[in-house]
PDB file of all heavy atoms in Angstrom:
ATOM      1  N   LEU A   1      75.294  88.076  93.698  1.00 80.00           N
ATOM      2  CA  LEU A   1      76.561  87.999  92.992  1.00 80.00           C
ATOM      3  C   LEU A   1      77.703  88.724  93.717  1.00 80.00           C
ATOM      4  O   LEU A   1      78.889  88.475  93.393  1.00 80.00           O
ATOM      5  CB  LEU A   1      76.376  88.557  91.610  1.00 80.00           C
ATOM      6  CG  LEU A   1      75.574  87.721  90.605  1.00 80.00           C
ATOM      7  CD1 LEU A   1      75.398  88.461  89.241  1.00 80.00           C
ATOM      8  CD2 LEU A   1      76.203  86.334  90.452  1.00 80.00           C
ATOM      9  N   GLN A   2      77.388  89.520  94.679  1.00 82.00           N
ATOM     10  CA  GLN A   2      78.440  90.262  95.396  1.00 82.00           C
ATOM     11  C   GLN A   2      78.850  89.516  96.700  1.00 82.00           C
ATOM     12  O   GLN A   2      79.710  90.054  97.405  1.00 82.00           O
ATOM     13  CB  GLN A   2      77.968  91.713  95.704  1.00 82.00           C
ATOM     14  CG  GLN A   2      77.850  92.557  94.473  1.00 82.00           C
ATOM     15  CD  GLN A   2      77.469  93.919  94.827  1.00 82.00           C
ATOM     16  OE1 GLN A   2      77.089  94.310  95.950  1.00 82.00           O
ATOM     17  NE2 GLN A   2      77.555  94.833  93.814  1.00 82.00           N
ATOM     18  N   ARG A   3      78.271  88.435  97.010  1.00 84.00           N
ATOM     19  CA  ARG A   3      78.613  87.767  98.195  1.00 84.00           C
ATOM     20  C   ARG A   3      79.697  86.707  97.878  1.00 84.00           C
ATOM     21  O   ARG A   3      79.892  86.286  96.764  1.00 84.00           O
ATOM     22  CB  ARG A   3      77.435  87.040  98.825  1.00 84.00           C
ATOM     23  CG  ARG A   3      76.953  85.865  98.035  1.00 84.00           C
ATOM     24  CD  ARG A   3      75.719  85.235  98.676  1.00 84.00           C
ATOM     25  NE  ARG A   3      75.245  84.169  97.827  1.00 84.00           N
ATOM     26  CZ  ARG A   3      74.333  83.296  98.121  1.00 84.00           C
ATOM     27  NH1 ARG A   3      73.792  83.365  99.310  1.00 84.00           N
ATOM     28  NH2 ARG A   3      73.974  82.400  97.264  1.00 84.00           N
ATOM     29  N   PHE A   4      80.493  86.390  98.915  1.00 87.00           N
ATOM     30  CA  PHE A   4      81.478  85.350  98.798  1.00 87.00           C
ATOM     31  C   PHE A   4      81.649  84.675 100.175  1.00 87.00           C
ATOM     32  O   PHE A   4      81.254  85.213 101.153  1.00 87.00           O
ATOM     33  CB  PHE A   4      82.816  85.874  98.205  1.00 87.00           C
ATOM     34  CG  PHE A   4      83.347  87.072  98.889  1.00 87.00           C
ATOM     35  CD1 PHE A   4      84.151  86.970 100.095  1.00 87.00           C
ATOM     36  CD2 PHE A   4      83.155  88.327  98.353  1.00 87.00           C
ATOM     37  CE1 PHE A   4      84.631  88.076 100.669  1.00 87.00           C
ATOM     38  CE2 PHE A   4      83.723  89.439  98.937  1.00 87.00           C
ATOM     39  CZ  PHE A   4      84.404  89.328 100.100  1.00 87.00           C
ATOM     40  N   THR A   5      82.290  83.512 100.137  1.00 89.00           N
ATOM     41  CA  THR A   5      82.366  82.697 101.339  1.00 89.00           C
ATOM     42  C   THR A   5      83.765  82.818 101.961  1.00 89.00           C
ATOM     43  O   THR A   5      84.724  83.427 101.300  1.00 89.00           O
ATOM     44  CB  THR A   5      82.140  81.232 100.966  1.00 89.00           C
ATOM     45  OG1 THR A   5      83.163  80.791 100.111  1.00 89.00           O
ATOM     46  CG2 THR A   5      80.771  81.060 100.328  1.00 89.00           C
ATOM     47  N   LYS A   6      83.857  82.297 103.098  1.00 92.00           N
ATOM     48  CA  LYS A   6      85.235  82.255 103.831  1.00 92.00           C
ATOM     49  C   LYS A   6      86.206  81.466 102.968  1.00 92.00           C
ATOM     50  O   LYS A   6      87.387  81.820 102.969  1.00 92.00           O
ATOM     51  CB  LYS A   6      85.057  81.631 105.182  1.00 92.00           C
ATOM     52  CG  LYS A   6      84.681  80.200 105.189  1.00 92.00           C
ATOM     53  CD  LYS A   6      84.458  79.656 106.558  1.00 92.00           C
ATOM     54  CE  LYS A   6      84.064  78.173 106.547  1.00 92.00           C
ATOM     55  NZ  LYS A   6      83.716  77.605 107.821  1.00 92.00           N
ATOM     56  N   THR A   7      85.796  80.456 102.244  1.00 94.00           N
ATOM     57  CA  THR A   7      86.696  79.665 101.405  1.00 94.00           C
ATOM     58  C   THR A   7      87.089  80.529 100.180  1.00 94.00           C
ATOM     59  O   THR A   7      88.259  80.382  99.752  1.00 94.00           O
ATOM     60  CB  THR A   7      86.109  78.332 100.966  1.00 94.00           C
ATOM     61  OG1 THR A   7      84.903  78.535 100.328  1.00 94.00           O
ATOM     62  CG2 THR A   7      85.906  77.435 102.171  1.00 94.00           C
ATOM     63  N   ASP A   8      86.206  81.389  99.708  1.00 94.00           N
ATOM     64  CA  ASP A   8      86.611  82.328  98.603  1.00 94.00           C
ATOM     65  C   ASP A   8      87.717  83.297  99.134  1.00 94.00           C
ATOM     66  O   ASP A   8      88.689  83.556  98.425  1.00 94.00           O
ATOM     67  CB  ASP A   8      85.425  83.122  98.141  1.00 94.00           C
ATOM     68  CG  ASP A   8      84.417  82.286  97.415  1.00 94.00           C
ATOM     69  OD1 ASP A   8      84.724  81.240  96.798  1.00 94.00           O
ATOM     70  OD2 ASP A   8      83.186  82.601  97.439  1.00 94.00           O
ATOM     71  N   VAL A   9      87.490  83.792 100.351  1.00 95.00           N
ATOM     72  CA  VAL A   9      88.458  84.685 100.939  1.00 95.00           C
ATOM     73  C   VAL A   9      89.833  84.011 101.016  1.00 95.00           C
ATOM     74  O   VAL A   9      90.875  84.604 100.589  1.00 95.00           O
ATOM     75  CB  VAL A   9      88.053  85.120 102.347  1.00 95.00           C
ATOM     76  CG1 VAL A   9      89.191  85.945 103.005  1.00 95.00           C
ATOM     77  CG2 VAL A   9      86.820  86.033 102.216  1.00 95.00           C
ATOM     78  N   ALA A  10      89.862  82.819 101.449  1.00 96.00           N
ATOM     79  CA  ALA A  10      91.117  82.070 101.489  1.00 96.00           C
ATOM     80  C   ALA A  10      91.828  81.953 100.155  1.00 96.00           C
ATOM     81  O   ALA A  10      93.032  82.147 100.014  1.00 96.00           O
ATOM     82  CB  ALA A  10      90.942  80.699 102.194  1.00 96.00           C
ATOM     83  N   LYS A  11      91.018  81.586  99.157  1.00 97.00           N
ATOM     84  CA  LYS A  11      91.506  81.485  97.780  1.00 97.00           C
ATOM     85  C   LYS A  11      92.088  82.759  97.300  1.00 97.00           C
ATOM     86  O   LYS A  11      93.187  82.822  96.752  1.00 97.00           O
ATOM     87  CB  LYS A  11      90.413  80.950  96.851  1.00 97.00           C
ATOM     88  CG  LYS A  11      90.801  80.820  95.439  1.00 97.00           C
ATOM     89  CD  LYS A  11      89.745  80.214  94.552  1.00 97.00           C
ATOM     90  CE  LYS A  11      88.410  80.914  94.739  1.00 97.00           C
ATOM     91  NZ  LYS A  11      87.381  80.370  93.883  1.00 97.00           N
ATOM     92  N   PHE A  12      91.279  83.872  97.445  1.00 97.00           N
ATOM     93  CA  PHE A  12      91.836  85.193  96.994  1.00 97.00           C
ATOM     94  C   PHE A  12      93.092  85.514  97.693  1.00 97.00           C
ATOM     95  O   PHE A  12      94.083  85.943  97.031  1.00 97.00           O
ATOM     96  CB  PHE A  12      90.751  86.300  97.273  1.00 97.00           C
ATOM     97  CG  PHE A  12      89.426  86.012  96.653  1.00 97.00           C
ATOM     98  CD1 PHE A  12      88.296  86.556  97.268  1.00 97.00           C
ATOM     99  CD2 PHE A  12      89.287  85.401  95.458  1.00 97.00           C
ATOM    100  CE1 PHE A  12      87.034  86.403  96.737  1.00 97.00           C
ATOM    101  CE2 PHE A  12      87.991  85.195  94.934  1.00 97.00           C
ATOM    102  CZ  PHE A  12      86.899  85.735  95.523  1.00 97.00           C
ATOM    103  N   GLU A  13      93.168  85.334  99.000  1.00 97.00           N
ATOM    104  CA  GLU A  13      94.345  85.695  99.753  1.00 97.00           C
ATOM    105  C   GLU A  13      95.582  84.863  99.336  1.00 97.00           C
ATOM    106  O   GLU A  13      96.667  85.382  99.135  1.00 97.00           O
ATOM    107  CB  GLU A  13      94.096  85.530 101.219  1.00 97.00           C
ATOM    108  CG  GLU A  13      93.076  86.511 101.819  1.00 97.00           C
ATOM    109  CD  GLU A  13      93.668  87.882 102.141  1.00 97.00           C
ATOM    110  OE1 GLU A  13      94.584  88.366 101.423  1.00 97.00           O
ATOM    111  OE2 GLU A  13      93.224  88.419 103.139  1.00 97.00           O
ATOM    112  N   MET A  14      95.391  83.589  99.155  1.00 97.00           N
ATOM    113  CA  MET A  14      96.482  82.701  98.780  1.00 97.00           C
ATOM    114  C   MET A  14      97.007  83.099  97.374  1.00 97.00           C
ATOM    115  O   MET A  14      98.206  83.114  97.120  1.00 97.00           O
ATOM    116  CB  MET A  14      96.130  81.222  98.872  1.00 97.00           C
ATOM    117  CG  MET A  14      95.852  80.818 100.301  1.00 97.00           C
ATOM    118  SD  MET A  14      97.140  81.297 101.474  1.00 97.00           S
ATOM    119  CE  MET A  14      97.806  79.722 101.926  1.00 97.00           C
ATOM    120  N   VAL A  15      96.099  83.434  96.478  1.00 98.00           N
ATOM    121  CA  VAL A  15      96.476  83.816  95.137  1.00 98.00           C
ATOM    122  C   VAL A  15      97.351  85.102  95.185  1.00 98.00           C
ATOM    123  O   VAL A  15      98.455  85.182  94.599  1.00 98.00           O
ATOM    124  CB  VAL A  15      95.293  83.945  94.166  1.00 98.00           C
ATOM    125  CG1 VAL A  15      95.691  84.733  92.927  1.00 98.00           C
ATOM    126  CG2 VAL A  15      94.751  82.571  93.850  1.00 98.00           C
ATOM    127  N   PHE A  16      96.855  86.060  95.950  1.00 97.00           N
ATOM    128  CA  PHE A  16      97.612  87.351  96.023  1.00 97.00           C
ATOM    129  C   PHE A  16      98.873  87.249  96.862  1.00 97.00           C
ATOM    130  O   PHE A  16      99.684  88.113  96.816  1.00 97.00           O
ATOM    131  CB  PHE A  16      96.659  88.458  96.489  1.00 97.00           C
ATOM    132  CG  PHE A  16      95.727  88.890  95.359  1.00 97.00           C
ATOM    133  CD1 PHE A  16      94.555  88.284  95.154  1.00 97.00           C
ATOM    134  CD2 PHE A  16      96.121  89.902  94.521  1.00 97.00           C
ATOM    135  CE1 PHE A  16      93.716  88.649  94.113  1.00 97.00           C
ATOM    136  CE2 PHE A  16      95.305  90.317  93.496  1.00 97.00           C
ATOM    137  CZ  PHE A  16      94.109  89.637  93.268  1.00 97.00           C
ATOM    138  N   LEU A  17      99.008  86.184  97.618  1.00 97.00           N
ATOM    139  CA  LEU A  17     100.284  85.916  98.343  1.00 97.00           C
ATOM    140  C   LEU A  17     101.185  85.068  97.465  1.00 97.00           C
ATOM    141  O   LEU A  17     102.247  84.618  97.907  1.00 97.00           O
ATOM    142  CB  LEU A  17     100.013  85.179  99.670  1.00 97.00           C
ATOM    143  CG  LEU A  17      99.378  86.009 100.753  1.00 97.00           C
ATOM    144  CD1 LEU A  17      98.939  85.117 101.933  1.00 97.00           C
ATOM    145  CD2 LEU A  17     100.341  87.068 101.234  1.00 97.00           C
ATOM    146  N   GLN A  18     100.772  84.871  96.197  1.00 97.00           N
ATOM    147  CA  GLN A  18     101.547  84.143  95.227  1.00 97.00           C
ATOM    148  C   GLN A  18     101.708  82.639  95.601  1.00 97.00           C
ATOM    149  O   GLN A  18     102.740  82.035  95.417  1.00 97.00           O
ATOM    150  CB  GLN A  18     102.899  84.819  94.953  1.00 97.00           C
ATOM    151  CG  GLN A  18     102.765  86.166  94.336  1.00 97.00           C
ATOM    152  CD  GLN A  18     104.076  86.843  94.268  1.00 97.00           C
ATOM    153  OE1 GLN A  18     104.626  87.303  95.230  1.00 97.00           O
ATOM    154  NE2 GLN A  18     104.508  87.044  93.040  1.00 97.00           N
ATOM    155  N   LEU A  19     100.652  82.102  96.119  1.00 97.00           N
ATOM    156  CA  LEU A  19     100.560  80.677  96.473  1.00 97.00           C
ATOM    157  C   LEU A  19      99.382  80.033  95.717  1.00 97.00           C
ATOM    158  O   LEU A  19      98.524  79.423  96.326  1.00 97.00           O
ATOM    159  CB  LEU A  19     100.454  80.528  97.991  1.00 97.00           C
ATOM    160  CG  LEU A  19     101.570  81.107  98.809  1.00 97.00           C
ATOM    161  CD1 LEU A  19     101.211  81.152 100.273  1.00 97.00           C
ATOM    162  CD2 LEU A  19     102.870  80.317  98.579  1.00 97.00           C
ATOM    163  N   PRO A  20      99.380  80.087  94.377  1.00 98.00           N
ATOM    164  CA  PRO A  20      98.258  79.555  93.654  1.00 98.00           C
ATOM    165  C   PRO A  20      98.123  78.042  93.730  1.00 98.00           C
ATOM    166  O   PRO A  20      97.019  77.471  93.571  1.00 98.00           O
ATOM    167  CB  PRO A  20      98.481  80.000  92.235  1.00 98.00           C
ATOM    168  CG  PRO A  20     100.009  80.064  92.168  1.00 98.00           C
ATOM    169  CD  PRO A  20     100.402  80.650  93.474  1.00 98.00           C
ATOM    170  N   HIS A  21      99.237  77.332  94.065  1.00 98.00           N
ATOM    171  CA  HIS A  21      99.098  75.939  94.205  1.00 98.00           C
ATOM    172  C   HIS A  21      98.226  75.588  95.378  1.00 98.00           C
ATOM    173  O   HIS A  21      97.498  74.578  95.407  1.00 98.00           O
ATOM    174  CB  HIS A  21     100.520  75.249  94.303  1.00 98.00           C
ATOM    175  CG  HIS A  21     101.364  75.824  95.380  1.00 98.00           C
ATOM    176  ND1 HIS A  21     101.988  77.071  95.323  1.00 98.00           N
ATOM    177  CD2 HIS A  21     101.693  75.305  96.587  1.00 98.00           C
ATOM    178  CE1 HIS A  21     102.676  77.327  96.401  1.00 98.00           C
ATOM    179  NE2 HIS A  21     102.529  76.223  97.216  1.00 98.00           N
ATOM    180  N   ILE A  22      98.352  76.395  96.448  1.00 98.00           N
ATOM    181  CA  ILE A  22      97.466  76.158  97.589  1.00 98.00           C
ATOM    182  C   ILE A  22      96.046  76.492  97.257  1.00 98.00           C
ATOM    183  O   ILE A  22      95.128  75.803  97.634  1.00 98.00           O
ATOM    184  CB  ILE A  22      98.018  76.911  98.874  1.00 98.00           C
ATOM    185  CG1 ILE A  22      99.374  76.369  99.248  1.00 98.00           C
ATOM    186  CG2 ILE A  22      97.026  76.833 100.010  1.00 98.00           C
ATOM    187  CD1 ILE A  22     100.065  77.135 100.328  1.00 98.00           C
ATOM    188  N   ALA A  23      95.856  77.594  96.604  1.00 97.00           N
ATOM    189  CA  ALA A  23      94.451  77.955  96.159  1.00 97.00           C
ATOM    190  C   ALA A  23      93.826  76.869  95.297  1.00 97.00           C
ATOM    191  O   ALA A  23      92.663  76.738  95.279  1.00 97.00           O
ATOM    192  CB  ALA A  23      94.504  79.252  95.393  1.00 97.00           C
ATOM    193  N   SER A  24      94.685  76.081  94.584  1.00 97.00           N
ATOM    194  CA  SER A  24      94.239  75.015  93.699  1.00 97.00           C
ATOM    195  C   SER A  24      93.900  73.745  94.446  1.00 97.00           C
ATOM    196  O   SER A  24      93.368  72.782  93.876  1.00 97.00           O
ATOM    197  CB  SER A  24      95.274  74.757  92.594  1.00 97.00           C
ATOM    198  OG  SER A  24      95.417  75.863  91.796  1.00 97.00           O
ATOM    199  N   TRP A  25      94.171  73.671  95.745  1.00 96.00           N
ATOM    200  CA  TRP A  25      93.978  72.454  96.531  1.00 96.00           C
ATOM    201  C   TRP A  25      92.496  72.090  96.684  1.00 96.00           C
ATOM    202  O   TRP A  25      92.141  70.994  97.013  1.00 96.00           O
ATOM    203  CB  TRP A  25      94.577  72.576  97.900  1.00 96.00           C
ATOM    204  CG  TRP A  25      96.051  72.441  98.002  1.00 96.00           C
ATOM    205  CD1 TRP A  25      96.922  72.218  96.973  1.00 96.00           C
ATOM    206  CD2 TRP A  25      96.856  72.681  99.128  1.00 96.00           C
ATOM    207  NE1 TRP A  25      98.232  72.246  97.416  1.00 96.00           N
ATOM    208  CE2 TRP A  25      98.191  72.534  98.757  1.00 96.00           C
ATOM    209  CE3 TRP A  25      96.585  72.990 100.487  1.00 96.00           C
ATOM    210  CZ2 TRP A  25      99.248  72.608  99.667  1.00 96.00           C
ATOM    211  CZ3 TRP A  25      97.603  73.124 101.380  1.00 96.00           C
ATOM    212  CH2 TRP A  25      98.934  72.915 100.980  1.00 96.00           C
ATOM    213  N   GLY A  26      91.684  73.099  96.554  1.00 93.00           N
ATOM    214  CA  GLY A  26      90.247  72.894  96.892  1.00 93.00           C
ATOM    215  C   GLY A  26      89.826  73.772  98.050  1.00 93.00           C
ATOM    216  O   GLY A  26      90.652  74.252  98.781  1.00 93.00           O
ATOM    217  N   ALA A  27      88.549  74.106  98.124  1.00 94.00           N
ATOM    218  CA  ALA A  27      88.068  75.124  99.018  1.00 94.00           C
ATOM    219  C   ALA A  27      88.431  74.850 100.463  1.00 94.00           C
ATOM    220  O   ALA A  27      88.998  75.729 101.152  1.00 94.00           O
ATOM    221  CB  ALA A  27      86.564  75.215  98.848  1.00 94.00           C
ATOM    222  N   GLN A  28      88.094  73.737 101.008  1.00 95.00           N
ATOM    223  CA  GLN A  28      88.290  73.456 102.431  1.00 95.00           C
ATOM    224  C   GLN A  28      89.745  73.325 102.792  1.00 95.00           C
ATOM    225  O   GLN A  28      90.216  73.837 103.848  1.00 95.00           O
ATOM    226  CB  GLN A  28      87.474  72.197 102.875  1.00 95.00           C
ATOM    227  CG  GLN A  28      85.983  72.455 102.847  1.00 95.00           C
ATOM    228  CD  GLN A  28      85.498  73.621 103.778  1.00 95.00           C
ATOM    229  OE1 GLN A  28      86.075  73.822 104.842  1.00 95.00           O
ATOM    230  NE2 GLN A  28      84.549  74.326 103.280  1.00 95.00           N
ATOM    231  N   LYS A  29      90.488  72.636 101.940  1.00 97.00           N
ATOM    232  CA  LYS A  29      91.923  72.418 102.226  1.00 97.00           C
ATOM    233  C   LYS A  29      92.668  73.744 102.143  1.00 97.00           C
ATOM    234  O   LYS A  29      93.525  74.029 102.966  1.00 97.00           O
ATOM    235  CB  LYS A  29      92.499  71.416 101.306  1.00 97.00           C
ATOM    236  CG  LYS A  29      93.796  70.888 101.725  1.00 97.00           C
ATOM    237  CD  LYS A  29      94.208  69.718 100.872  1.00 97.00           C
ATOM    238  CE  LYS A  29      95.581  69.183 101.262  1.00 97.00           C
ATOM    239  NZ  LYS A  29      96.085  68.101 100.414  1.00 97.00           N
TER     240      LYS A  29
END
């Protein structure tokens, strides 16, 4: 439960950069 993937990292980073629309695109995109 403490592991995460590179796509999770991208999602977290984009959300915290206030770009949730990009985080909503889907993991790979």
